[in-house]
Amino acid sequence: MAADASMARMALRHRLADRGMDRTLLLLLPAVIFIVALFIYPFVYGLQLSFQPQPGSETVQRYGSGPFADYHNFFADSYLRDTIWTTLKLSLPAALFNVIASVPIAYRMRGRFRGKRTITTILVVPITLGTVLTAEGLLAFMGPTGWLNRLLMDAGIADHPVRFTHNYWGVLFSLIISGFPFAFLLTLSYLSGIDPTLERAAATLGAGWWQRFRYITLPLLAPGLGITFCLSFVLAFSVFPSAIMVGDPAGQTRVISIAAFHAAFEQYDYSMASAIAMIMGAVELIVIGLVLGWRSRLYRGATGGKG
Amino acid sequence: GSPSSGGGAKDLSPNSVPDNPKKAVTLNIIDVAGNLQLTKGMIDEFVKTHPKVIKKVTYTTATAPELPGKIKAQQSAGQVQIGLVLTGTDGLAAGISQKLWVKTDDYASRLGNANYLPPAAKMQELAQGHGVEVVYYPSGPLIEYNPKTVTKPPATAQDLLAWAKAHPKKFQYARPANSGPGRTLLMGLPYILGDSNPKDPKAGWTKTWAYLQELSKYVDYYPSKTSETMANLANGSADIIASTTGWDINPRALGQVPAGDKVAYLKGMHWVTDAQYGVVPTGVSADVLSADLQLLKWMLTPQQQAKAYDTGYFYPGPAVNGVTVQMAPPKSQQVIQQFGRPEYDQWIAKFPKETSLPAEQQVAAFDQWDRTVGSGKVRK
Amino acid sequence: MAAVSGGRRVTLRPGAWLVWGAVVFFMLILAGVVGAVVVDSFGTRWFTGWLPAGWTTRWYGTTWREFDLGGVLVVTLEVALAVVVVSLFIGVPAAYALARRTFPGKRVLMVAFLLPILIPPITYGVPLATVLYKFHLAGKLSGVILANLVPAVPFVILVMTPFIEQIDPKIEAAARMCGARTRVIFTRILGPLLLPGMLAAAILILVRTVGMFELTFLTAGPDSQTLVVALYYSVSSAGIRAQQEIDAMAVIYTMSMLVLLVVALRFVNPTQLVTQIKERD
Amino acid sequence: MTRPDTRISELRLDKVSRGFGGVPALEGLDLTIRGGEFVALLGPSGCGKSTALNCLAGLLPLSGGSIWLDERRIDTVPPEQRGFGMVFQNYALFPHMSVRANIAFGLRMASVAKAESRRRVDEALSLVQLGDHAAKFPGQLSGGQQQRVAIARAIVMEPALVLMDEPLSNLDAKLRLEMRTEIKRIHQTLGLTTVYVTHDQEEALSLADRLVLLRDGRVQQVGTPEEVYTEPANRFVAGFMGYRNEFELPVTSGSGAGAGKSVVLGDLTGTRREDLGETAVAAIRPEDFTVGDGPNAMEVDVEVVEYQGREQAVQARTAAGAPLHLRAAARLAPGDRVTVSVPPERVLVFAAESPAAPAEVS
Amino acid sequence: MTRPDTRISELRLDKVSRGFGGVPALEGLDLTIRGGEFVALLGPSGCGKSTALNCLAGLLPLSGGSIWLDERRIDTVPPEQRGFGMVFQNYALFPHMSVRANIAFGLRMASVAKAESRRRVDEALSLVQLGDHAAKFPGQLSGGQQQRVAIARAIVMEPALVLMDEPLSNLDAKLRLEMRTEIKRIHQTLGLTTVYVTHDQEEALSLADRLVLLRDGRVQQVGTPEEVYTEPANRFVAGFMGYRNEFELPVTSGSGAGAGKSVVLGDLTGTRREDLGETAVAAIRPEDFTVGDGPNAMEVDVEVVEYQGREQAVQARTAAGAPLHLRAAARLAPGDRVTVSVPPERVLVFAAESPAAPAEVS
Ligand SMILES: Nc1ncnc2c1ncn2[C@@H]1O[C@H](COP(=O)(O)OP(=O)(O)OP(=O)(O)O)[C@@H](O)[C@H]1O
Ligand SMILES: Nc1ncnc2c1ncn2[C@@H]1O[C@H](COP(=O)(O)OP(=O)(O)OP(=O)(O)O)[C@@H](O)[C@H]1O
Ligand SMILES: NCCCCNCCCN
Ligand SMILES: [Mg+2]
Ligand SMILES: [Mg+2]
């Protein structure tokens, strides 16, 4: 009997193992407990708050107090709805640029050469700047009386100051300055895991540097790049301080977090703010879902060589 | 978001609050208005002279918008750690509407009679009994200009518009929601332009909105903080900006703006006054509340109020009667002597004083400004 | 692969010129941006012209005193290091399980791990703070650390998963055959192999934590403010503040992060990995 | 080296199976290994040898069956608790550790004292002749050197059971011989039970107490080297054990179950190994032919001659046109016509339908 | 398959050297390879064989010397422009590509038409017997299967020069024999010039036109298989080529430069291969001994007997106590005392100071 029971347990174990469930999954436990304890409850709270429009708020005046009134309001009001597009217009190019630009630079940084560590450090330094210094620096450096405009005017390239700040470009620059090192650091690290022997093998098969990159390195790097893009995108999508400080927060760079901030902290309409935040999350989730869906179709596994 | 049904914040009844704390308290003060610049001296002196009431203060600074969330979190958890909040009208109003503050009026007898200046007394009414005004100033709207480029400053609103048209991008004010001078201009214009109801931004500000939209055509952009307009004035990107008494004196004293820059007012000027308050979150212990009350009372004595002259930050500053510059600390006197403007006393006496809009109308005005002026800006 | 062909001659192809050109351009812009702030923070006043009218260090003194930056820096450092260490401890094992196994419900779990990164803290910050206050964790260092862990742990998981996928499981198998238990595999085998990834994740979390305003603000007590709260305050509070003071504070902020970064990079080179040993000269 | 305290008395594999995505790589492997025995797994590439080792080691969960160690079921015990040692086919060295650290790793895991560990590592290093390379990293070693590190890493632990997956495949003949002797010596002095995968017949024959022949994940024959070599169970085993020449011919006499061992196929007389049908297959090793007249004599035309030192590998063709491989000490040249012969007891006759050594390994 | 259009007429290595961190791995390699030639590099593990191949392929920059292809200097040409094919010792398969895509990679790089490419890949696949595994990824293959993919990937390109680094090390005897034949066939039909690294003497002897013996990065001997096998240049080569028995003895007669080939050392008569000093070393292959009386007869005690199929590998000890390896067809058992003999022409005598095969490979 006992043997039978233990046999059944074993069989179950075999079946579970076949489906990938074994003791390794215990490693997920701390993270799961942590997330459940400290995130799920607050998140659910925020979620349900978004379905309870604030009495007396504009939403309620216009669309009643149904559970979706705040969402309705958001999508009905172009002033709010357009922030999605405004934000995507900033965050997608910024994230794409950061990821795409870091690949060739990281690619060049492989192998050993003098000054490599210094260049790496310098390239990574901007992540320490913080939004404030970046914004103040952009305003001071690229502002109408900043060094850059002075240079342009002294050099006769421009006859009056060029506007680099307080518009779309200002925010994009700041997203690049703060986002590039981030993407670069990740890309560089992911790249370092790829066995250089594979490229050598490709070289003996007649692949030039571009082909080696295109067919060997890039596909092996792609899963990492997918994640890098997602994280860069999320950072850029939630752009807030720089959209205000170096952007045009009432117009071109009225991003979605400004709308959320406005709802929460200027109108004190927390349920509207929650709804906007949920919409933010949903938009990001869609973009990330697309990327991760694509990623799941890629090869993911050891890139250390020997098959 | 914030839990609405926290309920942890125990309401004290006035009887349960002792005159003196049973034990000297540690008071955590949070400043969301830059108020400590004016009142820190008062508080420190209180602590020094009343060790049995407050054994130690900690200061935290923050911005007003995020404050209610933090207070609510503490209140919902029944763990209120903030003993006193120093705030402007924004934080005050947010807290009132969300029922965060102790009703100080219940303790009026302990606070004594504050003997406020008349316009300050009006500002105290905004607190609806849930806070104590500690400093006051008449604010603006004023225009500040660079005399090198603006030889004859506009004297009327129409002059200003014409000047802006003639000098595109050279007039500037910051987004009202983020800027004292910006919002003072917004709230002052209905008086200057003679709008039908200066207290009703939605229905009564027809002229103001039309004026601002017209003006907007010649405005380059709206900075998100006042100091940027100041910097632009200093570096020549702007020649006229919106200002207030404090924003005129203090930045010149700090060297942010050339000392020689001048101010002017527009015809039909009404002061739109401003004030800052001390408020107490509900849920604090009886001892802390007791200490708060003693402290607030102390801060409203004329000797302490004189410290509010500061370096012109909130010029003049004191909220109560009988405080003169001569009572202020010497450093204060010296700065006001050097960067103050004698005409201010005249102007303050001369022009009518109006309280700023109640919070709800302010929010509505800001929202309308954002939608119709800020974002409606024609791109050039 | 200049290294392969360039045994004796160092040649740069157009592609290389382009890349290095872009790098230099980026660095110049960066120097301008940083330089402008640094110069201003040391200037007496700088209305117009290439340089300020005079030089001073007074702004550093005033901000330092006003915000008690000494204490704030210590807190910032403590919070940042604690968050980095704890999030790695929780996140890396989880990333391992996600990288090595496919199991039912994995997708749901992935989304659950993604959400804290996606959803702005506006939504969950206050209820989170309430929970922490309830358990008497907030209002002090522990609360700030726990709150900051909420986005940090998922971040580690997301960054580390591809790294772990890159490592050949055979190497782990070999370690197991030598009698290494899971813990040892993490510390002695995966740890060193994942070092570049963990370093990258650590740096990024450090940066995000030090820069995380909302959650820190909501859960901090008077003795547990971090630099960013002071910095945001100095930037966006009501009131008048000398621009140079803000710049000085921004420089202090950056310098402290820079010190952490450089220290980190001294100890571990992000480009170093196993395979680099194979990069024969 | 000291004898490890734990010895195995018996290791039993009971219908061990393992598939990959539904395709079986190992099917119902039944095998009992006695303590101290040296078992070699043999079989064509892809037949499941590494899979079997990995299952034994606990690195691959079984999809069926069980493994018993001294009557304790161990197939669910995690690998690090089984206390086995393994040499991986691809070495799987720790890339971030020096050679010395790689070898010392297991000792460190077992908390062996510093000095003792040092001594044992030094011993292992000199055993695999890598003393000079102790400080190098795996990436700086040649293929053979890496392989030797892998051997040293497993052996230094003196585990009760050692699993070796083609441990000598990248070594030169001379070194291989030396290492082989060492492995044998260690096996004998320490009494380590060993399961050894090799593609080298000679290695298998000389090292192992028993051979296990696998094909497509199924056992074909288990036996002592001599049994497998001289009495292959079927045509596949014969082919694999070097009976390179196969002649499919009709059975002339001696077929049938009750008949004696001797069987005649056309003009070949051989020894029957199975029940036969109408036609049968005669399998002969190249080295069993002798040049010159004798039993089963036939005339062949020499086609290709390969130099192989003392001997030549010769490819010839019979009068009937069938290719024939033989080894010859005499100097032959392409075009020569010679008579070769082979004793009937060296002509093994299998049923034709018995599976041939697979032409296509699957 | 079609013949590639570019044929090599001569590849010349001129003092090619390569070191790692100051330690030389290859020193002054001079070698001229004729078009179509099959050259095998032999030598103990770590002697620099892979290094030499990598230098030839252009994967390792030289630290000295030059490489000339038909009078064009190519050592600075990047590997992808040399048009050489290479089978890596550790395969270096692309982990993210299927077996088919791995093999097709080079053709894709050369922009070979789809259909043609498909055909050639199919051919290569069946050559290495992996038709059934075309859709698998390297991580799903057994060791030997991976190795075969590596071979197919290089060979499908029909490159003018193929470099193979132990391409058959993980294959079983039967398959190795088949693959060996295939490699030989491809080499001959396409006239591919081949440089081949192997540790398998038999493979080297049977495949190569010429052998290059390396030791510690230096060439020891270059010659045809027969030359190297029968006339090893020194004691090291002899040891490496299977002269396992070495007896160091005083020279009794026949030393000196002018003397004839015959030399007597104690009671052994042998053939001199070098100028000798006072003492010399006699090297004898195990298989050159015969059991029974004859020239150079000696009595030995059998100590260890290894079963090796038709023959036995026997370890014995001479009366003088020296160990002696021999192979015997007769059945011997440990403890037997037998007389063995060896013809003098199979006893090669080298100077004692001539370097022995290294005990410690460095
Ligand atoms: N990157 C490196 N750094 C340092 N030493 C190295 C490096 N690569 C190889 N070596 C050393 O160079 C020598 C020659 O190595 P190589 O790989 O050419 O040997 P090999 O003849 O191919 O040996 P095997 O038959 O074992 O593969 C070895 O001693 C090896 O340790
Ligand atoms: N992860 C995997 N996924 C799918 N098939 C696999 C996987 N691993 C191994 N196989 C298949 O299982 C079979 C047995 O593989 P195994 O590695 O055991 O062979 P082997 O006998 O060790 O061969 P070799 O001598 O070539 O190393 C092979 O056909 C192989 O292709
Ligand atoms: N994700 C938004 C970051 C918001 C930072 N808030 C600072 C507010 C200062 N008023
Ligand atoms: Mg295998
Ligand atoms: Mg090698």
Side-chain angles (χ1 to χ4, degrees), chain D residues 37-197:
Chain D
E37 202 178 8
F38 198 120
V39 172
L41 298 185
L42 277 172
S45 173
C47 68
K49 306 181 292 292
S50 298
T51 305
L53 282 202
N54 280 312
C55 287
L56 254 175
L59 298 171
L60 272 179
L62 309 186
S63 26
S66 52
I67 304 176
W68 302 80
L69 182 68
D70 299 342
E71 294 318 309
R72 195 165 62 92
R73 181 162 182 181
I74 60 156
D75 55 295
T76 49
V77 176
E80 66 270 24
Q81 285 166 29
R82 296 193 189 181
F84 299 169
M86 177 151 176
V87 181
F88 287 80
Q89 188 168 14
N90 290 342
Y91 328 145
L93 301 181
F94 309 129
H96 58 299
M97 294 186 194
S98 68
V99 167
R100 173 176 292 281
N102 259 282
I103 299 175
F105 185 78
L107 297 171
R108 223 158 106 209
M109 292 303 100
S111 313
V112 172
K114 269 267 165 61
E116 157 85 352
S117 159
R118 224 193 139 71
R119 193 185 55 71
R120 280 167 70 175
V121 172
D122 283 337
E123 225 171 272
L125 274 168
S126 76
L127 185 79
V128 296
Q129 307 183 4
L130 283 177
D132 291 355
H133 300 264
K136 280 192 179 171
F137 285 83
Q140 299 174 311
L141 295 180
S142 77
Q145 289 165 341
Q146 291 182 38
Q147 196 160 43
R148 285 179 273 157
V149 178
I151 298 173
R153 186 175 64 178
I155 272 182
V156 76
M157 293 300 293
E158 300 172 7
L161 175 69
V162 208
L163 308 165
M164 298 200 182
D165 201 347
E166 316 213 350
L168 307 180
S169 64
N170 272 291
L171 305 184
D172 61 273
K174 190 173 153 63
L175 189 57
R176 200 154 74 243
L177 227 51
E178 287 170 32
M179 292 300 304
R180 190 205 285 179
T181 313
E182 281 306 330
I183 288 174
K184 182 137 201 164
R185 191 179 61 74
I186 292 171
H187 167 74
Q188 285 170 346
T189 52
L190 298 181
L192 306 184
T193 312
T194 308
V195 181
Y196 193 97
V197 169

Side-chain angles (χ1 to χ4, degrees), chain E residues 239-298:
Chain E
F240 196 80
M241 293 311 292
Y243 291 77
R244 263 188 104 186
N245 299 292
E246 289 195 342
F247 304 98
E248 186 163 349
L249 296 163
V251 181
T252 318
S253 81
S255 76
K261 284 270 174 200
S262 179
V263 61
V264 181
L265 308 163
D267 23 297
L268 269 181
T269 309
T271 308
R272 191 161 56 104
R273 297 276 309 131
E274 287 181 299
D275 291 347
L276 305 174
E278 300 259 297
T279 63
V281 170
I284 307 164
R285 301 174 158 281
E287 58 269 42
D288 286 339
F289 282 108
T290 43
V291 178
D293 213 6
N296 285 321
M298 50 185 126

Side-chain angles (χ1 to χ4, degrees), chain A residues 94-107 176 180 183-184 187, chain C residues 19 22-23 26:
Chain A
L96 271 177
F97 176 88
N98 288 337
V99 173
I100 291 174
S102 36
V103 172
I105 297 176
Y107 193 62
I176 288 171
F180 169 76
F184 172 72
T187 307
Chain C
V19 169
V23 168
F26 182 76

Side-chain angles (χ1 to χ4, degrees), chain E residues 12-355:
Chain E
R12 185 157 57 79
L13 283 75
D14 185 21
K15 299 201 184 54
V16 168
S17 304
R18 168 70 202 191
F20 292 106
V23 183
L26 198 63
E27 276 182 285
L29 175 61
D30 281 320
L31 183 66
T32 303
I33 301 170
R34 288 181 307 279
E37 200 177 13
F38 197 119
V39 173
L41 298 186
L42 276 172
S45 173
C47 70
K49 305 180 294 291
S50 297
T51 304
L53 283 201
N54 279 311
C55 287
L56 255 172
L59 299 172
L60 272 180
L62 309 187
S63 30
S66 53
I67 304 176
W68 301 80
L69 180 68
D70 298 340
E71 294 317 309
R72 194 167 63 91
R73 181 165 178 176
I74 60 155
D75 55 295
T76 50
V77 174
E80 68 271 21
Q81 285 165 29
R82 296 195 188 181
F84 298 167
M86 177 145 173
V87 181
F88 287 78
Q89 187 168 15
N90 57 2
Y91 326 145
L93 301 181
F94 307 132
H96 59 300
M97 295 184 192
S98 68
V99 167
R100 173 175 291 284
N102 260 282
I103 299 176
F105 184 80
L107 298 172
R108 208 159 120 216
M109 293 303 103
S111 312
V112 171
K114 270 268 166 61
E116 157 85 353
S117 159
R118 224 192 139 69
R119 194 184 54 71
R120 279 167 70 176
V121 171
D122 283 337
E123 223 171 277
L125 274 168
S126 74
L127 186 79
V128 296
Q129 307 184 4
L130 283 179
D132 290 353
H133 300 265
K136 278 193 179 170
F137 284 82
Q140 301 175 314
L141 296 180
S142 78
Q145 289 165 341
Q146 291 183 35
Q147 194 162 42
R148 285 180 273 158
V149 177
I151 297 172
R153 186 175 67 175
I155 270 181
V156 77
M157 294 299 292
E158 298 172 11
L161 175 70
V162 208
L163 307 165
M164 299 198 185
D165 201 347
E166 315 212 352
L168 308 180
S169 63
N170 273 291
L171 305 184
D172 62 273
K174 190 172 156 64
L175 188 58
R176 198 155 74 243
L177 226 51
E178 288 170 33
M179 292 300 303
R180 191 205 286 180
T181 314
E182 280 307 328
I183 289 174
K184 182 138 202 163
R185 192 179 60 72
I186 293 171
H187 168 73
Q188 284 169 349
T189 52
L190 299 179
L192 306 183
T193 311
T194 307
V195 180
Y196 193 97
V197 169
T198 177
H199 54 257
D200 183 333
Q201 253 189 60
E202 194 186 292
E203 212 169 281
L205 292 174
S206 70
L207 282 171
D209 297 321
R210 264 195 310 158
L211 304 185
V212 177
L213 258 120
L214 289 176
R215 180 195 182 198
D216 289 356
R218 292 176 181 285
V219 172
Q220 303 294 309
Q221 184 170 6
V222 179
T224 64
E226 198 158 351
E227 276 163 19
V228 174
Y229 190 86
T230 56
E231 298 167 27
N234 57 32
R235 191 176 154 189
F236 164 78
V237 177
F240 196 80
M241 293 311 292
Y243 291 77
R244 263 188 104 186
N245 299 292
E246 289 195 342
F247 304 98
E248 186 163 349
L249 296 163
V251 181
T252 318
S253 81
S255 76
K261 284 270 174 200
S262 179
V263 61
V264 181
L265 308 163
D267 23 297
L268 269 181
T269 309
T271 308
R272 191 161 56 104
R273 297 276 309 131
E274 287 181 299
D275 291 347
L276 305 174
E278 300 259 297
T279 63
V281 170
I284 307 164
R285 301 174 158 281
E287 58 269 42
D288 286 339
F289 282 108
T290 43
V291 178
D293 213 6
N296 285 321
M298 50 185 126
E299 271 208 331
V300 297
D301 292 315
V302 175
E303 290 187 337
V304 181
V305 176
E306 275 179 11
Y307 179 74
Q308 294 196 339
R310 288 293 172 249
E311 285 186 326
Q312 292 178 314
V314 177
Q315 210 174 310
R317 203 164 285 278
T318 61
L324 185 144
H325 299 273
L326 67 143
R327 297 180 75 86
R331 287 285 147 127
L332 298 180
D336 289 356
R337 168 163 298 189
V338 290
T339 303
V340 298
S341 59
V342 54
E345 68 274 18
R346 306 245 157 130
V347 178
L348 303 188
V349 182
F350 299 97
E353 57 276 19
S354 163

